[in-house]
């Protein structure tokens, strides 16, 4: 085993010596001077200037730094891998012993590739401190590195369960496709020492270009999905809990004197949350966030709670001399039946004309007889008898009935609204 390891090491050393250590600094300098003697960095390095220089590129992503929904900006750290053949930088690798060389970017020709959809700056890639690798056959490898700030159309409809598709577009600013045929290599978009973002996940990538036009545009597409855990824990759940707390106003007794103050406080809290959400979203009239719609509906429920509470308190403080109307009597009767409550001597004891614990067997027979009478056409007689039994209804009973129905109806609406909205947003 040691013998094979030693032989492998000697082979590697021999190969390295043949390809990299078989020339001196004078040889390297002489070849460099020879290649750059009549070289012009301002002319395309192709002998037949009527041909289009073939060039391939790919994007290697290092990290997604930020996706700014307000400014509609994508910030990424990446570098381009660009390769082409420079017909003026070729040499005999056998006689020189040099297989590849490095040239400063300012010494040889490089394409003026720019970020087309840049957000703030507009400048060519690379710089004077970049060195390009050149093989003996003229193949040039260029790796311009940059923090790209590109514009991205943000669709906030399903925020915070949204997915975004952002493009990073490049082009050669001074050359058309008839001069430089810029295409995408087979790698398209790669990952190099990629660092995951805590908010956004890269789901897929792609790259496109169109050779049918004179423009040299290439588009690298990055599909992103927002990680919603932070927003669920810090935004959605508190809003849902506030929606439930909003309904507790109907459990507070009317005599406590805190119903209106409690309802107004919850309403203002929803307004604060709406302000927080609006600060995270772009000023955009093309799409509206589901979360914003949900908060507006919660505000509507809050307004409805305030209206119901105001009317309920006004009814609660009415004098006993004022008679309870038929509609409110019906409401009280329904509340008592649903709660299975009532006076023992009343025909309306029980749950929707069914037996209740507060009734004895004799009363069950009485209720059934009255039900049969109503079925036989004696509705007027039965209703008069019922009204006489219910003269004991007070405005406190009306207030309690309003609390009962408002709580359960709005709780059902709250449940349907929350489940419907967030199911729709999360399945996107």
């Amino acid at each position: 085993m040691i013998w094979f390891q030693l032989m492998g090491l000697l082979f590697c050393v021999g190969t390295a010596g043949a390809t990299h250590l078989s020339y001196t600094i004078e040889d390297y300098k002489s070849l460099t001077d020879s290649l750059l003697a009549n070289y012009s960095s301002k002319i395309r390095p192709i002998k037949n200037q009527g041909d289009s220089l073939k060039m391939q590129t790919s994007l290697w992503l290092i990290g997604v730094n930020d996706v700014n929904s307000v400014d509609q900006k994508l910030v990424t750290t990446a570098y381009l891998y660009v390769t082409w053949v420079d017909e003026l930088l070729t040499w005999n690798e056998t006689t020189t012993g040099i297989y590849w060389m490095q040239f400063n970017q300012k010494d040889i020709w490089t394409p003026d590739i720019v970020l087309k959809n840049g957000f703030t700056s507009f400048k060519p890639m690379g710089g004077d401190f970049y060195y390009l690798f050149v093989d003996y056959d003229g193949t040039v490898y260029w790796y311009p590195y940059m923090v790209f700030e590109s514009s991205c159309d943000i669709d906030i409809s399903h925020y915070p369960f949204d997915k975004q598709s952002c493009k990073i577009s490049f082009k050669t600013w001074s050359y058309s496709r008839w001069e430089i045929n810029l295409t995408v290599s087979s790698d398209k978009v790669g990952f190099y020492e990629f660092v995951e973002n805590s908010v956004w996940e890269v789901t897929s990538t792609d790259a496109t270009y169109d050779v049918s036009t004179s423009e040299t545009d290439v588009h690298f597409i990055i599909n992103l999905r927002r990680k919603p855990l932070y927003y669920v824990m810090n935004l959605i759940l508190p809003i849902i809990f506030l929606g439930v707390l909003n309904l507790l106003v109907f459990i507070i007794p009317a005599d406590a004197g805190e119903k209106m103050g409690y309802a107004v406080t919850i309403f203002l809290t929803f307004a604060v949350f709406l302000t927080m959400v609006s600060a995270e979203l772009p000023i955009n009239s093309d799409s509206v966030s589901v979360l914003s719609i949900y908060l507006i509906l919660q505000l509507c429920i809050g307004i409805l709670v305030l209206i119901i509470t105001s009317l309920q308190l006004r009814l609660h403080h009415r004098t006993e001399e004022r008679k309870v109307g038929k509609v409110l009597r019906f409401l009280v009767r329904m509340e008592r039946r649903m709660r299975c409550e009532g006076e023992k001597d009343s025909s309306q004891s029980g749950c929707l004309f069914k037996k209740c614990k507060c009734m004895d067997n004799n009363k069950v027979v009485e209720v059934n007889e009255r039900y049969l009478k109503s079925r036989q056409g004696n509705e007027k007689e039965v209703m008069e008898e019922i009204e006489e039994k219910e003269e004991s209804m007070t405005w406190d009973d009306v207030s309690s009935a309003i609390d009962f129905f408002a709580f359960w109806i709005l709780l059902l609406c709250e449940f349907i609204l929350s489940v419907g909205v967030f199911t729709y947003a999360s399945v996107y």
Side-chain angles (χ1 to χ4, degrees), residues 1-15:
M1 179 65 69
I2 297 176
W3 171 256
F4 285 107
Q5 291 178 350
L6 181 61
M7 290 298 293
L9 179 62
L10 291 174
F11 176 79
C12 293
V13 172
T15 304

Side-chain angles (χ1 to χ4, degrees), residues 320 324 329 332 336 342-343 346 386-398:
E320 296 298 332
V324 179
R329 285 180 178 276
V332 174
R336 288 177 176 176
E343 299 178 2
S346 173
I386 289 173
E387 290 180 1
E388 291 176 359
K389 290 287 185 179
E390 291 177 344
E391 286 299 330
S392 60
M393 284 186 187
T394 63
W395 291 108
D396 289 342
D397 297 328
V398 174

Side-chain angles (χ1 to χ4, degrees), residues 94-154:
T94 305
T95 58
T96 59
I98 301 174
Y99 286 80
W100 57 270
M101 300 180 69
Q102 286 181 296
F103 293 89
N104 191 278
Q105 180 174 327
K106 66 180 180 179
D107 294 331
I108 65 174
W109 179 90
T110 53
D112 55 346
I113 297 178
V114 296
L115 178 63
K116 184 179 180 180
N117 61 336
F119 193 81
T120 54
S121 62
F122 181 80
K123 59 183 179 180
M125 302 290 296
D128 292 343
F129 60 92
Y130 278 93
Y131 278 81
L132 286 73
F133 291 89
V134 182
D135 285 342
Y136 63 90
D137 60 354
T139 304
V140 183
Y141 304 95
W142 186 33
Y143 307 92
Y145 175 97
M146 188 177 289
V147 177
F148 299 106
E149 294 186 359
S150 55
S151 59
C152 178
D153 293 331
I154 304 295

